[in-house]
């Protein structure tokens, strides 16, 4: 399955990034040094191995500056590549190419870094049945692209924003007066297609949530916030002992070194903020040919 976002979602992000770079007067270096009408042919080359995400950002950045640019994408988002792999080859007006270069590289490197890190997490839990999910800890303005990159790496998306699922966290519970009161209020407020998740910070709150599940009004997902391994295993045992079909999600302080052990406790989902807030930009260069 090819992983792509519609151009209509990507283009505004790319245009805004180009405008930020071009500033008030455009690319004065290219205008001063590059003859009008000169052509440039170049390739985007990976300096390190990784997973591709964001190739359409490169295409749209180049076409925005030169609508007649000729662009050949050698791979598709989600493909793994080795160091020195050619990801994109393009021929365009030289001034336009150089003006689009940094925006294209910034987005491509950022998104490939997220996809590559996500793939490492996914590989670390292989065979356990646990799925790796992202969070809302994304770069403002880039959420659609960063969550796309997580999918390219083999992860799944948590809710996209505040409007597509209910997630009752500790502060909601505190204001509402408890897990039961918060869940009941949420269930009464939403339609049958809206999922409800509640965060619990201990086994006592877990039991309260599981009791609600047994009555048919409970949450669809229970987030186990900062549980240690023993608590996670006990949470899974209690869920199974009661025959509950609720999804258990482990969250909080998950690292690549610990995610495998977390997955082996039997939880269904592991949400990892680091996928988007701590991914290292992948080194990708542009080489003229």
């Amino acid at each position: 399955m090819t992983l792509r976002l519609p151009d209509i979602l990507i283009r505004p992000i790319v245009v805004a990034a180009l405008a930020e770079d071009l500033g008030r007067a455009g690319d004065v270096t290219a205008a001063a040094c590059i003859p009008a009408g000169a052509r440039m042919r170049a390739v985007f080359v990976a300096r390190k191995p990784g997973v591709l995400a964001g190739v359409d950002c490169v295409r749209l950045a180049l076409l925005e500056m030169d609508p007649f640019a000729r662009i050949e994408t050698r791979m598709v988002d989600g493909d793994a590549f080795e160091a020195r792999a050619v990801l994109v080859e393009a021929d365009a007006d030289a001034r336009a190419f150089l003006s689009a270069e940094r925006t294209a590289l910034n987005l491509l490197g950022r998104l490939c870094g997220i996809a590559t890190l996500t793939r490492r997490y996914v590989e670390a839990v292989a065979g356990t049945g646990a799925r790796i999910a992202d969070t809302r800890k994304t770069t403002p303005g880039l959420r659609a692209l960063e969550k796309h990159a997580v999918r390219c790496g083999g992860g799944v998306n948590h809710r996209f924003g505040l409007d597509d699922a209910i997630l009752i966290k500790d502060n909601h519970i505190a204001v509402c007066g408890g897990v039961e009161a918060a869940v009941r209020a949420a269930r009464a407020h939403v339609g049958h297609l809206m999922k409800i998740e509640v965060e619990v910070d201990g086994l006592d709150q877990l039991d309260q949530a599981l009791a609600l599940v047994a009555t048919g009004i409970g949450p669809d997902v229970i987030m186990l916030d900062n549980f240690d391994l023993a608590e996670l295993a006990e949470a899974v045992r209690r869920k199974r002992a009661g025959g509950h079909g609720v999804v258990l999600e482990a969250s909080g302080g998950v690292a690549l070194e610990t995610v495998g052990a977390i997955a082996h406790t039997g939880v269904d989902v592991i949400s990892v903020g680091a996928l988007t807030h701590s991914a290292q930009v992948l080194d990708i260069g542009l080489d003229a040919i």
Side-chain angles (χ1 to χ4, degrees):
M1 180 182 66
T2 302
L3 292 164
R4 291 195 65 181
L5 286 177
D7 284 358
I8 195 171
L9 294 180
I10 306 173
R11 185 176 286 111
I13 300 173
V14 171
V15 170
L18 286 168
E20 180 180 56
D21 214 18
L22 292 168
R24 296 163 297 175
D27 185 348
V28 295
T29 307
C33 299
I34 305 301
R39 303 292 298 180
M40 178 178 175
R41 186 177 170 214
V43 289
F44 290 82
V45 180
R47 308 298 192 209
K48 294 183 178 181
V51 176
L52 185 60
V55 69
D56 285 321
C57 294
V58 175
R59 176 177 58 83
L60 291 173
L62 291 174
L63 289 175
E64 189 66 30
M65 298 304 299
D66 177 6
F68 302 103
R70 295 188 295 273
I71 304 161
E72 178 187 355
T73 56
R74 299 286 185 85
M75 298 181 181
V76 298
D77 281 1
D79 284 349
F81 53 80
E82 298 298 325
R84 297 182 296 279
V86 174
L87 308 178
V88 181
E89 181 176 341
D91 184 297
D93 176 89
R95 288 182 177 178
F97 209 144
L98 292 168
S99 296
E101 173 186 358
R102 179 44 52 195
T103 292
L105 286 171
N106 281 352
L107 290 170
L108 186 62
R110 171 70 179 157
L111 299 177
C112 285
I114 291 171
T116 301
L117 180 60
T118 301
R119 183 68 55 87
R120 293 179 68 192
Y121 273 88
V122 170
E123 290 172 348
V125 304
T128 66
R131 307 180 80 186
I132 298 297
D134 56 26
T135 70
R136 284 168 45 244
K137 296 176 181 177
T138 54
T139 307
L142 296 184
R143 181 170 294 172
L145 293 179
E146 293 183 349
K147 282 183 169 282
H148 167 72
V150 168
R151 294 195 300 274
C152 291
V156 298
N157 293 150
H158 211 282
R159 60 177 179 163
F160 188 87
L162 295 173
D163 62 341
D164 58 345
I166 285 184
L167 175 47
I168 303 168
K169 297 180 70 67
D170 54 350
N171 288 329
H172 299 103
I173 291 170
V175 173
C176 286
V179 169
E180 180 175 353
V183 172
R184 285 186 179 276
R187 186 62 72 188
H189 180 77
V190 302
H192 64 291
L193 293 181
M194 181 72 74
K195 294 284 188 179
I196 296 176
E197 178 171 12
V198 63
E199 175 187 279
V200 300
D201 59 14
L203 293 171
D204 56 338
Q205 287 191 336
L206 170 69
D207 287 339
Q208 295 172 43
L210 290 176
L212 291 169
V213 173
T215 68
I217 65 158
D220 304 286
V221 185
I222 300 174
M223 178 186 290
L224 311 171
D225 184 46
N226 286 301
F227 278 40
D228 62 29
L229 292 178
E231 290 170 328
L232 289 172
E234 176 60 18
V236 171
R237 188 196 69 76
R238 294 187 187 188
K239 167 195 164 179
R240 292 174 178 171
H244 303 298
V246 67
V247 172
L248 291 185
E249 174 188 336
S251 181
V254 180
L256 194 57
E257 297 76 20
T258 62
V259 71
I262 293 171
H264 277 94
T265 64
V267 295
D268 303 295
V269 177
I270 304 171
S271 53
V272 187
L275 299 182
T276 52
H277 73 57
S278 295
Q280 184 175 2
V281 172
L282 198 74
D283 190 3
I284 299 171
L286 181 68
D287 298 335
I289 55 176

